[in-house]
Amino acid sequence: MELHDVWFVLIAVLWIGYFFLEGFDFGIGVLTKLLARNRKERRVLINTIGPVWDGNEVWLLSAGGATFAAFPEWYATLFSGFYLPLLLILVCLIVRGVAFEYRAKRPEERWQRNWEHAIFWTSLLPAVLWGVAFGNIVRGVKIDAEMEYVGNLADLLNPYAILGGLVTLTLFTFHGAVFAALKTVGDIRARARRLAFVLGLLTAVLALGFLGWTQADSGDGASLGAMVVAVLALVGAIVAIRAGREGWSFALSGLTIVAAVAMLFLTLFPNVMPSSLNEQWNLTVTNASSTPYTLKIMTWCAGIATPVVLLYQGWTYWVFRKRIGTHHIADAH
């Protein structure tokens, strides 16, 4: 296997890690309006991800940085062609982080309510836009012979990509609801389980349509295997949450995300960004990659840094592993 193939796999792993971890982050943000009934319950939901949400975003920074260094042509075409949606995602992530930190800085009702609105919308929009973006990457966009995107924003809002956005929104919200049931106690835990079951059924319908469309359009044997794993894991997650087994349900909902994103990358390879104008103009792991020397240096750096990141992030989740409930929140909040 060539180094550019290795880095394609590593970038896929980084995106899988990001969607697995940030997926329930986004889901919790959406659930602050769908699940929480009052300010104290919203505080409980926010506290479930409070110690980890910023660490989860490290995976996005790593995926973007690795793409820039390993596949500069891919990075340039992607970020120039998808400039507006990616800028909107970036703004949402910035505002979302500020909202988490500033919400409780002042006691006024209006102050806290406005930041809670911000948390909801800046969680919902990226959850949709990431699905739209990856739907377009897999489907192919208007790339010319100079490796430049020549389409417009309307081209990105096609039925396949919009369906992908709905799938990521419902899947992340389901993932977040299962995480909420896993991390809380009391009435909010019971309601999270019931809501997760409903969200799981809706996700199953949308995901089956999107993954089936992907497989029919550009899939092969490997992607079919990943699709089967994703569907079976999602069904298992729904059954487990119905039975009150939150731990198993969370593991299986996470496996659904892992298998679904892996399927998208399997349908891409050896392309990194297909051209809908001419197959000869596809960006591939070969024509979009950096020099072998650059990839070699990156491989050494990744081999040293990645275990350290995994260890400290795993330690963070272990330290903050206990459940919380409304009785842990002081009335002053």
Side-chain angles (χ1 to χ4, degrees):
M1 180 180 288
E2 299 289 337
L3 280 179
H4 50 66
D5 297 332
V6 171
W7 274 98
F8 179 85
V9 173
L10 290 177
I11 289 172
V13 170
L14 290 172
W15 280 111
I16 288 170
Y18 174 67
F19 287 136
F20 179 94
L21 297 172
E22 193 80 334
F24 67 76
D25 267 6
F26 289 143
I28 290 294
V30 174
L31 291 172
T32 57
K33 295 293 186 183
L34 298 184
L35 178 62
R37 291 177 173 173
N38 52 53
R39 179 144 294 132
K40 187 174 285 191
E41 289 190 351
R42 282 191 286 274
R43 182 75 247 176
V44 169
L45 290 177
I46 293 171
N47 281 5
T48 62
I49 61 173
V52 298
W53 68 266
D54 48 354
N56 293 344
E57 292 184 356
V58 171
W59 290 79
L60 174 61
L61 298 175
S62 300
T67 304
F68 172 77
F71 299 99
E73 295 291 349
W74 183 13
Y75 182 93
T77 304
L78 175 64
F79 278 77
S80 60
F82 293 23
Y83 180 79
L84 286 178
L86 291 178
L87 177 62
L88 182 56
I89 290 174
L90 178 60
V91 171
C92 285
L93 294 180
I94 293 172
V95 174
R96 185 168 175 266
V98 173
F100 283 138
E101 299 296 336
Y102 275 70
R103 175 192 169 276
K105 295 299 183 183
R106 290 170 56 179
E108 291 88 348
E109 174 84 10
R110 183 178 180 182
W111 172 272
Q112 295 193 8
R113 184 174 63 251
N114 288 340
W115 285 122
E116 288 167 358
H117 289 324
I119 290 172
F120 171 76
W121 287 110
T122 57
S123 298
L124 185 147
L125 288 175
V128 174
L129 291 174
W130 280 127
V132 173
F134 270 83
N136 279 291
I137 292 173
V138 172
R139 173 178 175 267
V141 292
K142 294 180 178 179
I143 301 174
D144 64 13
E146 303 299 323
M147 298 185 180
E148 295 182 0
Y149 178 72
V150 294
N152 53 48
L153 182 61
D155 293 328
L156 302 180
L157 300 177
N158 54 80
Y160 175 78
I162 291 173
L163 179 58
L166 293 176
V167 170
T168 51
L169 174 61
T170 54
L171 180 56
F172 291 168
T173 308
F174 168 66
H175 196 40
V178 174
F179 183 76
L182 180 65
K183 289 288 292 181
T184 58
V185 295
D187 181 59
I188 192 171
R189 176 189 177 190
R191 284 188 282 113
R193 280 161 47 180
R194 291 194 294 268
L195 181 58
F197 178 73
V198 175
L199 288 170
L201 295 177
L202 177 60
T203 302
V205 173
L206 294 174
L208 188 60
F210 178 72
L211 296 180
W213 190 346
T214 304
Q215 178 63 28
D217 187 54
S218 55
D220 56 14
S223 62
L224 178 61
M227 175 183 169
V228 171
V229 172
V231 172
L232 292 179
L234 181 56
V235 172
I238 296 170
V239 172
I241 198 65
R242 185 68 169 178
R245 303 297 296 272
E246 295 101 339
W248 278 105
S249 183
F250 181 73
L252 289 169
S253 66
L255 179 59
T256 303
I257 294 175
V258 170
V261 179
M263 178 189 177
L264 297 183
F265 277 94
L266 286 169
T267 59
L268 266 180
F269 187 81
N271 298 317
V272 295
M273 205 167 178
S275 171
S276 60
L277 300 178
N278 190 327
E279 290 186 359
Q280 301 299 319
W281 299 340
N282 289 352
L283 297 184
T284 68
V285 293
T286 303
N287 65 20
S289 69
S290 294
T291 64
Y293 183 70
T294 300
L295 296 178
K296 184 177 181 180
I297 293 176
M298 289 177 60
T299 303
W300 279 104
C301 293
I304 296 171
T306 302
V308 177
V309 173
L310 292 175
L311 283 173
Y312 81 69
Q313 193 163 25
W315 177 80
T316 302
Y317 277 91
W318 174 256
V319 170
F320 295 100
R321 66 189 182 277
K322 292 185 178 180
R323 296 177 183 266
I324 62 173
T326 54
H327 61 283
H328 293 116
I329 307 298
D331 290 335
H333 288 281

